[in-house]
Amino acid sequence: MNLKSDLDITNNHQERHYDLDWLRVLAVLLLIYFHAAAVFYQGELGDFYIKNDLPSPVLGWFIFFVHQWHMPLFFLISGAASWFSLQLRTPMEYVNERFRRLLIHFIFGTLVLVPPQVYYKLLTHHTDIGSYLQFYPQFFNGIRP
């Protein structure tokens, strides 16, 4: 075989699914508006880390509506992407690739991004938790948030 036929075979197996790409883009954009609106929501779905004293009924309905299907949409997109990815690589290659791409981000988020949010939320609920340095080791005791 020559290079052109190798490229033709590769291109046939790696057809891009632009519909999934755009669905992912729109879901992430909606996520930004969802979290911005969550500040103004107070209801049965729980409290956001930061909340406004004056809730908004319109944004409350928006949160309630989007909450019903937004995370399932992310799982659907992720499952479809995994399915197509596993068509091109072995399960072990897939797992190794996922670890290399996600592990550092997961560790950074767990150690750096999430603890200050939980600390701030506990402070706003007048919980006597001491300083942030006293709280940080306790963050890892139990399930958060």
Side-chain angles (χ1 to χ4, degrees):
M1 289 189 164
N2 60 26
L3 181 61
K4 179 161 176 26
S5 63
D6 287 345
L7 287 175
D8 289 339
I9 291 170
T10 303
N11 287 338
N12 287 339
H13 291 297
Q14 293 182 352
E15 184 177 320
R16 189 80 187 175
H17 290 272
Y18 294 104
D19 51 345
L20 283 177
D21 291 339
W22 278 107
L23 198 56
R24 182 183 299 128
V25 166
L26 294 174
V28 169
L29 287 175
L30 184 61
L31 186 68
I32 294 168
Y33 291 104
F34 178 83
H35 282 100
V39 173
F40 301 96
Y41 174 78
Q42 292 176 3
E44 63 190 46
L45 298 177
D47 291 337
F48 197 57
Y49 288 111
I50 301 168
K51 61 181 176 179
N52 193 27
D53 290 336
L54 195 62
S56 168
V58 173
L59 293 177
W61 280 105
F62 172 74
I63 290 290
F64 192 77
F65 173 72
V66 173
H67 181 276
Q68 304 301 313
W69 53 270
H70 201 230
M71 280 306 290
L73 176 63
F74 276 118
F75 281 108
L76 175 73
I77 294 168
S78 177
S82 295
W83 170 262
F84 292 121
S85 182
L86 284 167
Q87 304 299 311
L88 302 172
R89 55 188 56 81
T90 67
M92 198 60 191
E93 289 172 336
Y94 175 78
V95 169
N96 285 334
E97 181 183 289
R98 295 291 98 195
F99 267 105
R100 280 186 281 128
R101 292 186 76 186
L102 299 175
L103 186 63
I104 291 173
H105 299 89
F106 173 73
I107 291 170
F108 179 78
T110 302
L111 298 178
V112 177
L113 298 178
V114 177
Q117 296 175 36
V118 173
Y119 179 73
Y120 182 76
K121 181 176 182 175
L122 292 174
L123 280 180
T124 59
H125 290 290
H126 308 293
T127 305
D128 185 25
I129 54 176
S131 71
Y132 182 72
L133 292 176
Q134 293 169 327
F135 162 78
Y136 189 79
Q138 302 305 317
F139 170 76
F140 301 100
N141 295 338
I143 298 173
R144 299 284 182 187

